[in-house]
Amino acid sequence: MEKLMLPSHKVELLSIPEQIANSIKQMIIEGKIKRGDTLPSQLSLAKYFGVSRPTMKEAFTYLVDSRVIEPYNSQLGGYRVSDFLPEDVSNNIHELIMLSLHSKTITHPDIFELRKMIEIPSAGIAALKRTDKDLILLESCLSDIRNKELSAEDMLKIDATVHFLLAKCTHNPLTEAIMNAIIMTYQKNSPNILEEEKSYILIGITDVIEAIIEKDEGKAKKAMEEHLYYSRTYLQIKRLIS
């Protein structure tokens, strides 16, 4: 019987500090350590994990860099579990999307399909949940859009602002984090836009804003669907989406 020959495969092993950092993350996920909790000293944790203090210090560096923990008393060298903010989640999702795009495990059409699944219902939710404070920002965006002297770059900035604002109007931190990550990805991958092509950028966006201002759920969803249709058409022209 012929012996099966497996292809060579390099396994990347985690260092001891990385393993300890992951163990502490797992304790947080399991609720054994909670947000705002003060961590034991590095010396105590070094004894707990059976490692040297420099190794423990390196593990703490990993946790600080990933914003899992933060220093809270510089004199005593104390650390506590960080508050996990929507922007931190956004950055992590954005990095994952970018890595996946580069490795071709996901494509631009995949991201666009996700946008439709999230943004169309979110437009309706935003119409129902927008506050008076949101209203001020929405009306400010409308005012900017009606400026006749907008360049293509100006339009792109306004478009991103509107989508960020729409996510905020849902008052759902997870929706906000995911949408922000997607918009950041588009900003990193936006094509070169000629001035004569800029009319595509904001088509339908005023209808979205007005529907949210009017608190019209159905109209907001329909307007967002149409706006995304024109966005897709433009991206097809620029060969970002096939």
Side-chain angles (χ1 to χ4, degrees):
M1 184 175 179
E2 187 176 349
K3 186 177 180 181
L4 178 64
M5 298 296 294
L6 295 176
S8 60
H9 180 69
K10 184 179 178 180
V11 178
E12 185 177 350
L13 298 177
L14 295 178
S15 67
I16 299 298
E18 288 174 316
Q19 292 179 49
I20 293 170
N22 285 344
S23 294
I24 293 173
K25 287 180 185 178
Q26 189 61 36
M27 291 179 190
I28 295 170
I29 291 170
E30 293 172 355
K32 295 175 181 176
I33 306 174
K34 297 179 173 59
R35 182 186 69 178
D37 280 358
T38 301
L39 292 178
S41 69
Q42 291 183 22
L43 181 59
S44 298
L45 285 172
K47 291 179 180 178
Y48 175 79
F49 285 104
V51 296
S52 67
R53 188 167 182 179
T55 298
M56 197 66 232
K57 184 177 181 180
E58 191 175 343
F60 268 50
T61 299
Y62 282 118
L63 292 169
V64 171
D65 289 344
S66 59
R67 299 185 183 181
V68 174
I69 65 173
E70 60 187 4
Y72 80 98
N73 190 319
S74 57
Q75 292 182 337
L76 297 177
Y79 289 84
R80 65 184 174 195
V81 179
S82 303
D83 289 329
F84 298 103
L85 303 173
E87 54 262 35
D88 297 327
V89 179
S90 293
N91 289 331
N92 289 335
I93 296 173
H94 169 62
E95 288 177 6
L96 179 60
I97 291 173
M98 292 298 293
L99 287 169
S100 298
L101 280 173
H102 287 307
S103 66
K104 297 183 179 180
T105 52
I106 65 171
T107 63
H108 286 285
D110 293 329
I111 300 173
F112 195 84
E113 286 300 314
L114 180 60
R115 285 191 68 181
K116 290 198 297 183
M117 286 188 286
I118 294 176
E119 289 196 71
I120 293 172
S122 291
I125 294 169
L128 295 175
K129 298 181 72 173
R130 67 99 177 139
T131 64
D132 290 341
K133 185 177 179 181
D134 297 328
L135 184 61
I136 296 170
L137 297 173
L138 289 165
E139 289 176 338
S140 176
C141 283
L142 270 183
S143 178
D144 290 340
I145 290 169
R146 287 166 180 157
N147 183 339
K148 302 299 183 183
E149 303 300 324
L150 293 174
S151 66
E153 185 179 358
D154 292 332
M155 288 185 168
L156 283 171
K157 288 179 180 177
I158 291 172
D159 184 60
T161 298
V162 171
H163 287 281
F164 281 131
L165 181 55
L166 181 146
K168 283 185 175 295
C169 287
T170 66
H171 296 279
N172 182 319
L174 189 55
T175 299
E176 182 181 340
I178 294 171
M179 271 310 309
N180 288 354
I182 292 172
I183 299 305
M184 284 192 289
T185 302
Y186 270 79
Q187 288 176 321
K188 291 281 188 182
N189 291 274
S190 61
N192 294 323
I193 297 173
L194 303 176
E195 285 296 312
E196 58 266 28
E197 299 173 333
K198 67 184 182 183
S199 59
Y200 280 98
I201 300 170
L202 296 178
I203 289 180
I205 201 70
T206 55
D207 294 334
V208 176
I209 297 172
E210 288 170 353
I212 293 173
I213 289 173
E214 296 165 10
K215 292 199 167 186
D216 189 327
E217 179 187 8
K219 184 178 174 182
K221 290 165 69 175
K222 183 178 179 182
M224 178 55 74
E225 185 174 8
E226 291 176 355
H227 172 64
L228 290 177
Y229 168 78
Y230 285 111
S231 295
R232 183 180 178 87
T233 300
Y234 177 75
L235 288 170
Q236 285 175 328
I237 292 170
K238 301 304 289 186
R239 301 180 183 277
L240 278 185
I241 294 181
S242 58

